[in-house]
Amino acid sequence: GDSVTQMEGPVTLSEEAFLTINCTYTATGYPSLFWYVQYPGEGLQLLLKATKADDKGSNKGFEATYRKETTSFHLEKGSVQVSDSAVYFCALSLNSGGSNYKLTFGKGTLLTVNP
Amino acid sequence: DAGITQSPRHKVTETGTPVTLRCHQTENHRYMYWYRQDPGHGLRLIHYSYGVKDTDKGEVSDGYSVSRSKTEDFLLTLESATSSQTSVYFCAISETTGPSGNTIYFGEGSWLTVV
């Protein structure tokens, strides 16, 4: 079945460090790919998405490129801030028939950024 | 932010009692979902709906039922709550067309404790 594997955390960085969170997927078709962020005590917010191969999603300084050849969608940010501390989820969405879209999530990566 | 309201936001209940969580949306989206979030498991789909009175099971549906009598409301019922159902429950919505097509938006969560 469809699955998402993301690097296990926790990840701890100093402010202004470079961030990479790896995400790879397995899917039977051509999925859309997403990164969601969850701040403490809150729901999940869409961070960025890409719907086809070689698309780059970007938002708030975060970027991820849909790589079909490596089935990957790694999240990157050039300079993290304390306010980026959160749990990050990689996810895929695939049409399972009848225009029905469901998300399959990775298990999440906790990022802590220290001042 | 997507117009999704979950109620109650926090609840403590006793083992064996029925519990109903409500999700209300103001976006008129066709699809609605219930997920649960647990440490080490990420988010798992419980049930989803693709229209009024049209629902289907997700990967962890045992012990749960749902109903959708109106486009805007999706109810999740724990028929006889057990301690293993202590979790954070998230409602989500999506639509397949338009600029937000195929993107799932989440509510802020309902924290349920079964004692």
Side-chain angles (χ1 to χ4, degrees):
Chain A
D2 304 329
S3 66
V4 174
T5 302
Q6 61 182 104
M7 64 185 289
E8 294 187 15
V11 174
T12 302
L13 297 173
S14 298
E15 205 164 25
E16 299 184 0
F18 184 85
L19 168 70
T20 300
I21 301 178
N22 290 337
C23 172
T24 57
Y25 68 89
T26 302
T28 53
Y30 298 98
S32 295
L33 301 173
F34 304 82
W35 277 100
Y36 284 83
V37 59
Q38 185 179 30
Y39 299 102
E42 298 184 9
L44 278 74
Q45 302 175 23
L46 178 66
L47 181 59
L48 53 84
K49 71 176 186 180
T51 58
K52 61 183 187 296
D54 299 326
D55 270 0
K56 177 185 284 188
S58 61
N59 186 25
K60 299 180 181 180
F62 291 90
E63 294 183 338
T65 301
Y66 189 142
R67 301 290 189 196
K68 183 181 173 185
E69 62 276 12
T70 55
T71 62
S72 64
F73 193 54
H74 305 321
L75 182 68
E76 296 182 336
K77 187 175 185 182
S79 176
V80 294
Q81 305 300 312
V82 172
S83 58
D84 294 326
S85 298
V87 180
Y88 292 82
F89 292 92
C90 184
L92 69 82
S93 174
L94 198 59
N95 186 342
S96 59
S99 295
N100 183 23
Y101 294 93
K102 294 183 288 183
L103 280 180
T104 299
F105 284 90
K107 294 187 177 181
T109 302
L110 173 63
L111 170 66
T112 301
V113 181
N114 295 319
Chain B
D1 290 340
I4 307 170
T5 304
Q6 292 185 227
S7 60
R9 295 290 315 281
H10 298 272
K11 185 173 181 65
V12 179
T13 192
E14 293 185 350
T15 299
T17 60
V19 176
T20 295
L21 305 180
R22 179 179 183 245
C23 179
H24 178 79
Q25 61 144 329
T26 58
E27 305 297 322
N28 199 36
H29 280 11
R30 178 181 174 190
Y31 295 93
M32 298 186 76
Y33 311 80
W34 278 107
Y35 285 86
R36 61 179 288 174
Q37 184 178 24
D38 304 287
H41 293 278
L43 279 89
R44 294 179 291 175
L45 181 65
I46 305 171
H47 281 279
Y48 64 97
S49 169
Y50 46 94
V52 173
K53 297 186 179 180
D54 290 324
T55 64
D56 206 348
K57 296 178 179 180
E59 60 180 302
V60 290
S61 59
D62 288 347
Y64 301 95
S65 62
V66 290
S67 65
R68 191 169 178 198
S69 59
K70 298 184 290 185
T71 298
E72 58 267 33
D73 290 326
F74 192 35
L75 304 181
L76 176 71
T77 297
L78 288 65
E79 292 139 10
S80 178
T82 67
S83 58
S84 64
Q85 294 176 311
T86 293
S87 186
V88 184
Y89 292 86
F90 287 99
C91 175
I93 64 174
S94 72
E95 190 51 85
T96 56
T97 59
S100 64
N102 195 24
T103 297
I104 295 183
Y105 298 95
F106 286 82
E108 294 188 338
S110 293
W111 274 253
L112 176 68
T113 301
V114 183
V115 298

